[in-house]
Amino acid sequence: MVEVMDLEWWVITYLTALMIPYVISFFLYTIRMFKGPTLPDRVIAVDALGYDLAAFLTILTILLKSPIMIVCSVVLILWIYSLDIYVAKYLESKELGG
Amino acid sequence: MATLLDWALVIIGQALITIGVFCDLAAAISMLRFPNFYTRLHALTVGSVGGAFVPIVGVAFIAAGSEFLGVYRWFLAGSSLVIAVVELLLAGSGSHAIARATHRAKAAPTQPIIVDKLEEERGG
Amino acid sequence: MDYVDLIFAMMGLSALLSVVATALAIRSKDLLNAVIFSSVQSVAYALIYFLLLAPDIVLVYVAVSVGIYPLILILLIKKVGRYETKQNWEQLKGGDV
């Protein structure tokens, strides 16, 4: 097999160039979080921020070359989901008179 | 020494991550421009499934095809698939929970609206 | 551009975000907004600890500060009341307990 270019250099350069749109989208989510006039708007912005940050962390484990760091994104996804459930239970029980 | 199979896996993985980046940017811009809470829910699920499930599957493909990571690349690939399936199940459930609670408690105004059938069915 | 420069820049940006979120959490009168701003500060700190290559600290920090701490605060807010009013402050300062 004739070698065209180095695989390691290609993967690292491509992933480094793809990190910048993720950082821009995190910034846009935080603008909605500071601006949102009601409470559920803020919860939605934190939700989306957490899920996309978890995807970003799995991309970073290839760049940092340390394979144990991938367990941090499962934990982040599960606890951000439970924050949704807490706010939903608070809003719904106030309305039903509990 | 990278074989043809390694190059094919890496190219597929990078294509999936590119789709994910595009979906994530679209979701972030539309989170700012939509006029209502209930329309921003669509931006949330696009960002959750298109912006987080698809790139994690792409990372699994890239990790399976890279020789420079050593023997642990199979651990990365399998773990990424598990994370992707967990994310796919939890994103839809969480967004449904917050939407139902907000509609019942009337915490967000339903303002640029034409008809609300759920409100009529509940007798409001 | 080397990716190490990008990692240091991301650490600085997320530290700046956490300062802004903490300032807003202290000054807000609606107590549920304060809980959500505190969760955003915790997410920013989880990113910083990840970039410093410490996975055990990330696990414990996210579990306590995004999972358990908002639960206890929301249970407390259900008992006490959602808004911080001038009447509560007068009752605290006047010693009228």
Side-chain angles (χ1 to χ4, degrees), chain B residues 6-31:
Chain B
D6 290 340
W7 272 102
L9 284 173
V10 163
I11 293 296
I12 290 177
Q14 283 176 346
L16 285 177
I17 293 187
T18 309
I19 293 176
V21 162
F22 178 67
C23 280
D24 197 18
L25 269 180
I29 290 179
S30 60
M31 188 79 89

Side-chain angles (χ1 to χ4, degrees), chain A residues 3-13, chain B residues 1-3 6-11 14 62 65-68:
Chain A
E3 181 107 347
V4 174
M5 71 174 95
D6 194 11
L7 184 71
E8 174 176 357
W9 174 84
W10 169 243
V11 166
I12 287 184
T13 308
Chain B
M1 198 57 193
T3 67
D6 290 340
W7 272 102
L9 284 173
V10 163
I11 293 296
Q14 283 176 346
I62 286 183
S66 315
E67 281 285 335
F68 64 94

Side-chain angles (χ1 to χ4, degrees), chain A residues 1 3 8 13 16 19 23 26 50 52 54-55 57 63 66 82 88:
Chain A
M1 169 71 192
E3 181 107 347
E8 174 176 357
T13 308
T16 307
M19 275 198 327
V23 174
F26 290 157
D52 285 333
L57 293 184
L63 284 180
S66 162
S82 79

Side-chain angles (χ1 to χ4, degrees), chain B:
Chain B
M1 198 57 193
T3 67
L4 187 57
L5 187 60
D6 290 340
W7 272 102
L9 284 173
V10 163
I11 293 296
I12 290 177
Q14 283 176 346
L16 285 177
I17 293 187
T18 309
I19 293 176
V21 162
F22 178 67
C23 280
D24 197 18
L25 269 180
I29 290 179
S30 60
M31 188 79 89
L32 284 178
R33 298 278 298 175
F34 278 167
N36 200 358
F37 163 73
Y38 296 99
T39 48
R40 283 174 205 141
L41 279 174
H42 174 62
L44 167 69
T45 48
V46 165
S48 269
V49 175
F53 170 70
V54 175
I56 297 182
V57 173
V59 165
F61 274 115
I62 286 183
S66 315
E67 281 285 335
F68 64 94
L69 289 171
V71 75
Y72 281 109
R73 66 188 194 272
W74 302 111
F75 168 64
L76 271 182
S79 194
S80 299
L81 278 180
V82 169
I83 292 174
V85 170
V86 164
E87 150 94 56
L88 182 65
L89 293 177
L90 289 186
S93 170
S95 76
H96 174 72
I98 191 74
R100 177 180 187 248
T102 308
H103 188 81
R104 286 170 84 120
K106 297 182 183 49
T110 69
Q111 241 352 79
I113 195 173
I114 297 175
V115 64
D116 190 356
K117 290 285 189 187
L118 187 60
E119 194 67 34
E120 292 167 15
E121 272 183 13
R122 203 171 275 149

Side-chain angles (χ1 to χ4, degrees), chain A residues 33-34, chain C residues 14-30 33-42 45:
Chain A
M33 206 211 62
F34 292 140
Chain C
S14 78
L16 200 61
L17 167 69
S18 81
V19 168
V20 174
T22 310
L24 276 175
I26 292 177
R27 293 280 304 178
S28 81
K29 293 284 190 301
D30 183 0
N33 283 344
V35 170
I36 300 294
F37 287 143
S38 157
S39 300
V40 168
Q41 182 248 331
S42 304
Y45 264 48

Side-chain angles (χ1 to χ4, degrees), chain A:
Chain A
M1 169 71 192
V2 177
E3 181 107 347
V4 174
M5 71 174 95
D6 194 11
L7 184 71
E8 174 176 357
W9 174 84
W10 169 243
V11 166
I12 287 184
T13 308
Y14 199 83
L15 289 181
T16 307
L18 277 186
M19 275 198 327
I20 299 177
Y22 263 102
V23 174
I24 292 177
S25 85
F26 290 157
F27 178 62
L28 292 176
Y29 281 132
T30 55
I31 286 184
R32 170 48 69 193
M33 206 211 62
F34 292 140
K35 213 175 92 166
T38 69
L39 173 74
D41 285 319
R42 297 195 154 109
V43 173
I44 273 189
V46 171
D47 207 13
L49 183 70
Y51 289 148
D52 285 333
L53 189 68
F56 185 62
L57 293 184
T58 57
I59 291 181
L60 270 183
T61 53
I62 292 187
L63 284 180
L64 293 175
K65 291 197 184 74
S66 162
I68 197 64
M69 308 291 297
I70 203 163
V71 299
C72 303
S73 75
V74 191
V75 175
L76 191 65
I77 286 178
L78 290 173
W79 286 114
I80 292 281
Y81 165 73
S82 79
L83 188 68
D84 266 352
I85 301 294
Y86 296 154
V87 177
K89 277 195 178 301
Y90 175 82
L91 287 175
E92 196 161 347
S93 79
K94 282 291 251 216
E95 194 261 344
L96 290 178

